[in-house]
Amino acid sequence: MKRFLIVIIASLLLMAQGCDKPDDNRSEVIDKARSNFISGFYSDSEKGFERYLQDNPQGEYRLEAWNYLVKIAAEVRHDSDRGAAILEAMYLEFGHKPEEASTLKRQLAEMYIRTGQYKAAVEALEKSLEYAGQSQERLDESRTMLAESFRKLRNYDLAIYTYNDIAKSTDNNVIKARALFEMAHTLTLIQAWERAESELEKLLKMDGVPEDIHAEAAFMLADIYEDRHEYKRAAELLEQIADTYPNPYAVRYKLDYLEKRF
């Protein structure tokens, strides 16, 4: 079904490229399509943007028109499959431009993640990361999505590797802290307790760690200590986050339990 949609939508692009009509960058068609979108007349808006693409093979607003079609498909109709198909068709047109290509592949990955197609999301993200000239912030975001997708696929080794790469390469302390936490969490999923402990302890010693990440890391580390029957050590950690952990009742409940164990 997805391939069928891509073929249908791509045919719109091919028809446009073969069209002999002159460009009309000030076309009333696209102005009306924008107006209809703002007013909530999405079907009319969709038809208008499609017509603009057909009539303006070199039009100045082609990227805008395509993007509106993605919005209508994904955000208005909640049809992520069609949204992905439109993005694939867009990539056929703009894939030779690095900035647009990386953005399109990133958007495509987000669309696949919405529908739980994590393998396809990984492929799109890996392609997106191949393009040079991206900001560190964009790279961090894309790599984080990639690591999360690997974890959803239960490919824990690659998830751990990617989180570690983020922590080493980013210059953003918040991103680094979150990457270390998520790496530690992933390590617990494969019962690599000692390495998880090491990463969490490293995280807790860092400067500039947001309060919520610090609290989550301390709670997870306390769990590891508890599993090793180091109850006093676990309790000491929990005391430090009694007022900062998102669920203070969970901290108090665990503290009450631990205090009976030593």
Side-chain angles (χ1 to χ4, degrees), residues 175-191:
I175 298 295
K176 180 176 183 177
R178 176 55 68 182
L180 287 172
F181 174 79
E182 296 298 344
M183 179 168 64
H185 172 56
T186 309
L187 286 162
T188 66
L189 297 177
I190 59 172
Q191 299 183 342

Side-chain angles (χ1 to χ4, degrees), residues 233-250:
R233 199 176 180 189
E236 288 171 351
L237 259 184
L238 292 173
E239 288 284 2
Q240 297 173 20
I241 61 168
D243 297 323
T244 58
Y245 190 70
N247 185 353
Y249 296 104

Side-chain angles (χ1 to χ4, degrees), residues 137-182:
E137 181 180 4
R138 171 60 66 89
L139 291 172
D140 288 343
E141 291 173 352
S142 295
R143 286 173 181 160
T144 298
M145 290 171 60
L146 181 61
E148 291 170 352
S149 297
F150 280 136
R151 192 162 66 187
K152 288 289 187 180
L153 290 168
R154 298 185 179 181
N155 194 333
Y156 298 125
D157 287 344
L158 282 177
I160 291 164
Y161 174 86
T162 307
Y163 281 126
N164 189 48
D165 183 55
I166 296 167
K168 287 182 176 179
S169 63
T170 186
D171 53 9
N172 184 314
N173 274 350
V174 176
I175 298 295
K176 180 176 183 177
R178 176 55 68 182
L180 287 172
F181 174 79
E182 296 298 344

Side-chain angles (χ1 to χ4, degrees), residues 50-230:
E50 288 174 349
R51 180 181 169 189
Y52 176 83
L53 290 172
Q54 290 175 332
D55 292 350
N56 295 273
Q58 303 298 324
E60 179 182 356
Y61 304 109
R62 288 185 63 80
L63 183 60
E64 178 190 353
W66 279 118
N67 279 326
Y68 269 110
L69 291 178
V70 173
K71 284 184 180 180
I72 292 169
E75 298 176 18
V76 177
R77 305 193 192 287
H78 303 290
D79 187 345
S80 294
D81 286 334
R82 180 172 174 79
I86 295 171
L87 286 165
E88 292 278 17
M90 290 173 71
Y91 186 75
L92 293 177
E93 179 171 348
F94 298 101
H96 64 287
K97 299 179 179 180
E99 185 174 352
E100 282 86 350
S102 65
T103 298
L104 289 170
K105 283 297 182 181
R106 162 83 175 268
Q107 288 178 295
L108 186 59
E110 291 172 345
M111 206 72 68
Y112 285 137
I113 288 170
R114 288 184 192 179
T115 57
Q117 299 179 68
Y118 296 107
K119 186 175 180 180
V122 164
E123 292 173 358
L125 286 165
E126 288 179 332
K127 185 65 178 179
S128 172
L129 287 165
E130 290 178 5
Y131 294 97
Q134 300 183 59
S135 68
Q136 186 64 51
E137 181 180 4
R138 171 60 66 89
L139 291 172
D140 288 343
E141 291 173 352
S142 295
R143 286 173 181 160
T144 298
M145 290 171 60
L146 181 61
E148 291 170 352
S149 297
F150 280 136
R151 192 162 66 187
K152 288 289 187 180
L153 290 168
R154 298 185 179 181
N155 194 333
Y156 298 125
D157 287 344
L158 282 177
I160 291 164
Y161 174 86
T162 307
Y163 281 126
N164 189 48
D165 183 55
I166 296 167
K168 287 182 176 179
S169 63
T170 186
D171 53 9
N172 184 314
N173 274 350
V174 176
I175 298 295
K176 180 176 183 177
R178 176 55 68 182
L180 287 172
F181 174 79
E182 296 298 344
M183 179 168 64
H185 172 56
T186 309
L187 286 162
T188 66
L189 297 177
I190 59 172
Q191 299 183 342
W193 307 112
E194 289 185 6
R195 188 176 170 195
E197 177 184 358
S198 174
E199 298 300 337
L200 289 168
E201 289 176 343
K202 183 193 305 181
L203 170 56
L204 293 178
K205 292 175 183 176
M206 281 175 51
D207 294 326
V209 177
E211 188 176 80
D212 60 330
I213 299 177
H214 183 277
E216 290 178 79
F219 194 90
M220 186 181 293
L221 185 56
D223 274 345
I224 293 174
Y225 291 158
E226 180 187 351
D227 286 342
R228 287 211 307 255
H229 306 297
E230 297 182 35

